[in-house]
Amino acid sequence: METTLRGVGVSHGVAIGEVRHMGTAVLEPPAKQITADEAEREQGRARQAVSAVAADLIARGQLAGGEAQHVLEAQAMIAEDPELMADVDRRIAVGSTAERGVYDAFASYRDLLAGAGEYMAGRVADLDDVRNRIVARLLGVPMPGVPDSDEPYVLIARDLAPADTALLDPALVLGFVTEEGGPTSHSAILARALGVPAIVALPGAGEIAEGTVIAVDGSTGDLFVEPSSAKKAELAAAAAERKAALAASSGPGATSDGHKVPLLANVGGPADVPAAVEAGAEGVGLFRTEFLFLDDSKKAPSEEKQVESYRKVLEAFPEGRVVVRVLDAGADKPLEFLTPADEPNPALGVRGLRSLLDHPDVLRTQLTALAKAAEGLPVYLEVMAPMVADRTDARAFADACREAGLKAKFGAMVEIPSAALRARSILQEVEFLSLGTNDLAQYAFAADRQVGAVSRLQDPWQPALLDLISMSAEAARAEGKSCGVCGEAAADPLLACVLTGLGVTSLSMGAASIPYVRATLAKYTLAQCERAAAAARAADSAEEARVAAQAVLSGE
């Protein structure tokens, strides 16, 4: 009998197929004691396993490329974290085996971060996956992972680690569903990059029996268990309609009555550029430069290395707009040379611009590198600061840009509610705003963006979040300046129409989402988008806002 479950849709498309579950294994090693004479040997085994796992993650990243490569390289850094390894050595020295020392050290680290409210605690899948890979290697057992199958299937898992998601074969894995995670988790981000329909934060999905036929709608978050023939036909027709609309859509982003809404791409470096160009991106709305810095957490990359990386991206968009976010370190992206190691809650501490202002040499080098990278190119370079809280922050960043001789527009990201509330004040110092809806939701609702249990508060359709976006856009319009969105909200085609109606002037997203947003925007007038936005803001919940906007755009 057909039943419907609902999670959070994070990657567009429809997948219909039989369920296959992610393999699981018990990877808790026995609490066996060793003698003092064996400690040195066990410590060596642990270090060897850690190095091998880190190398494997890096190799997987190089094979996957793009966004996945950055994610996996960051995960490799977790494996080789010096504090973790020091804890492993201590545990082995007092009698633990290598595998037990690794298991207990990771468990302690995990509990410590969760107890401190650490932003990184939400990335449970990442941390557990690294631990499991090291312990499995030491025990000599295979890692649990994606099931072997000769036939296409829909994958269900408690959560998916980046190393698994990055190398999914779209020819076999029609779509996936996770019980945990959130709309901005690594699994969600990589699913969008792969173009695989996906639903996250769907408790109980793991109870669906192996081999059951299900239908996954990654746009709505609906999962249909044993769908009827009529439901399959309905979903197939909707998918065909979307595909036809995508094929017919090309050119710059605009509403049906010609209101221009530039559609830009979010990139992490040169490897992400080809997909953005192929999707017809009109430029880059978010160039995440921190991935370049994550190659070595102990020191910043040289000015020469930065110039080389930045120029490759800038060259790909001649006469296009490229918005670069300066280093956003801290919280889930700690860097030894930049961020404090003992903060009780790094998400609310020294991160983003705050870190850079504490280390002006790092900021100066990056701004100088950007200036050199843009020399002689016809690109429209814009540079923005993350985690701007007020006018004082904005002024400090603008002053630093001018002192570095940067010939570009200076902007501020709106990720903290105070920045939205005082947007007009901030715009006295900078020339544009860019809304990071992921962090803005996190701070507005006190809801960690990686924790599935609070995912409803991370829904970008939340009316309170739409209010903050509207305030920012209205402030920019009053000052005659631009206000874009570069968070995951821009990747939702229906929400893109609402954002346009709120007065947002550009939308930036993962390359795979650009055709969907372009095709949807082209179906409606600006006035329709404005009415949909008003209806969404008048609602009392995210679901009501979505339904209200859809009703307006459907003419109901």
Side-chain angles (χ1 to χ4, degrees):
M1 181 177 176
E2 179 180 311
T3 56
T4 304
L5 304 175
R6 170 161 286 186
V8 179
V10 295
S11 185
H12 304 298
V14 172
I16 302 175
E18 292 187 1
V19 167
R20 295 287 183 275
H21 288 278
M22 177 71 93
T24 58
V26 177
L27 288 176
E28 180 174 357
K32 177 183 175 182
Q33 289 290 303
I34 62 171
T35 66
D37 293 341
E38 297 174 294
E40 186 175 347
R41 183 197 67 191
E42 291 296 289
Q43 288 169 340
R45 286 182 64 227
R47 284 190 291 271
Q48 186 178 37
V50 166
S51 296
V53 166
D56 178 63
L57 289 168
I58 291 171
R60 283 170 175 259
Q62 291 171 342
L63 183 61
E67 184 86 41
Q69 182 172 359
H70 304 311
V71 170
L72 291 173
E73 287 175 350
Q75 201 179 15
M77 288 175 58
I78 296 175
E80 298 186 298
D81 182 275
E83 289 188 18
L84 264 173
M85 281 311 300
D87 191 16
V88 171
D89 283 343
R90 284 193 294 271
R91 292 173 186 275
I92 293 173
V94 295
S96 289
T97 60
E99 46 267 37
R100 190 72 208 190
V102 168
Y103 185 89
D104 289 341
F106 268 81
S108 177
Y109 186 45
R110 190 175 190 264
D111 292 344
L112 175 66
L113 295 181
E118 161 69 79
Y119 179 76
M120 186 178 164
R123 298 196 184 277
V124 170
D126 298 29
L127 196 62
D128 287 353
D129 183 59
V130 171
R131 178 203 64 202
N132 287 348
R133 289 178 184 278
I134 297 170
V135 172
R137 193 172 191 92
L138 287 165
L139 290 174
V141 301
M143 264 296 299
V146 178
D148 291 328
S149 177
D150 295 329
E151 298 295 327
Y153 60 90
V154 178
L155 179 64
I156 293 183
R158 182 183 62 81
D159 205 343
L160 282 172
D164 294 315
T165 315
L167 297 182
L168 290 179
D169 182 355
L172 283 176
V173 181
L174 302 173
F176 69 76
V177 181
T178 65
E179 295 188 90
E180 299 181 1
T184 57
S185 66
H186 278 153
S187 292
I189 292 170
L190 293 179
R192 286 188 285 271
L194 286 167
V196 176
I199 297 175
V200 300
L202 203 167
E207 298 174 12
I208 301 174
E210 186 95 358
T212 302
V213 175
I214 63 172
V216 173
D217 189 332
S219 300
T220 64
D222 290 329
L223 184 153
F224 304 94
V225 181
E226 296 182 341
S228 65
S229 297
K231 176 58 70 176
K232 290 180 183 178
E234 177 188 329
L235 291 170
E241 182 181 345
R242 281 196 290 261
K243 186 175 181 180
L246 293 179
S249 176
S250 62
T255 58
S256 62
D257 56 341
H259 175 72
K260 294 182 179 180
V261 186
L263 303 181
L264 313 171
N266 295 343
V267 304
D272 294 336
V273 167
V277 173
E278 184 179 352
E282 298 168 59
V284 172
L286 174 61
F287 181 0
R288 302 182 181 97
T289 60
E290 62 269 16
F291 289 118
L292 181 62
F293 287 75
L294 291 172
D295 286 345
D296 185 349
S297 67
K298 297 181 180 179
K299 62 179 180 180
S302 66
E303 181 181 302
E304 292 74 19
K305 183 176 181 180
Q306 291 188 54
V307 170
E308 179 184 4
S309 180
Y310 302 153
R311 193 169 181 89
K312 287 178 181 177
V313 175
L314 297 178
E315 287 175 336
F317 296 95
E319 300 185 10
R321 178 186 180 198
V322 175
V323 184
V324 179
R325 179 177 70 190
V326 294
L327 177 61
D328 183 15
D332 68 328
K333 299 182 288 286
L335 295 171
E336 290 183 38
F337 67 91
L338 196 66
T339 50
D342 56 352
E343 285 190 302
N345 193 342
L348 300 179
V350 182
R351 62 167 296 197
L353 180 62
R354 299 167 187 175
S355 294
L356 292 174
L357 294 179
D358 281 351
H359 298 81
D361 53 325
V362 175
L363 177 58
R364 188 181 310 111
T365 298
Q366 184 171 26
L367 294 174
T368 301
L370 284 166
K372 291 182 177 179
E375 284 179 2
L377 296 179
V379 68
Y380 294 95
L381 176 63
E382 301 184 9
V383 182
M384 62 185 181
M387 302 300 294
V388 170
D390 57 15
R391 184 173 180 174
T392 299
D393 280 349
R395 182 187 304 121
F397 178 65
D399 288 345
C401 290
R402 282 187 284 266
E403 289 170 9
L406 191 61
K407 292 180 175 60
K409 285 187 176 181
F410 317 142
M413 289 199 71
V414 177
E415 301 167 284
I416 304 173
S418 65
L421 294 167
R422 301 290 293 173
R424 197 159 183 181
S425 171
I426 288 172
L427 283 165
Q428 305 310 304
E429 305 293 341
V430 296
E431 298 173 81
F432 70 93
L433 299 177
S434 184
L435 287 143
T437 53
N438 305 338
D439 269 323
L440 185 58
Q442 171 174 248
Y443 292 120
F445 293 100
D448 191 315
R449 55 188 277 192
Q450 298 301 320
V451 177
V454 293
S455 62
R456 78 170 186 86
L457 297 174
Q458 268 292 323
D459 192 324
W461 281 94
Q462 284 286 354
L465 182 63
L466 298 180
D467 288 344
L468 292 172
I469 294 171
S470 179
M471 292 177 68
S472 303
E474 288 175 6
R477 183 167 52 244
E479 294 297 325
K481 297 179 179 180
S482 64
C483 176
V485 167
C486 64
E488 293 300 320
D492 179 335
L494 182 60
L495 186 52
C497 295
V498 168
L499 295 173
T500 298
L502 292 174
V504 167
T505 56
S506 66
L507 299 167
S508 189
M509 65 207 77
S513 298
I514 291 175
Y516 289 92
V517 172
R518 182 193 292 119
T520 304
L521 268 178
K523 293 165 60 177
Y524 306 109
T525 65
L526 176 60
Q528 286 177 298
C529 293
E530 289 173 341
R531 288 197 295 273
R537 288 185 66 193
D540 291 320
S541 71
E543 181 59 26
E544 290 175 9
R546 185 184 290 105
V547 170
Q550 182 66 70
V552 169
L553 294 177
S554 300
E556 297 176 6

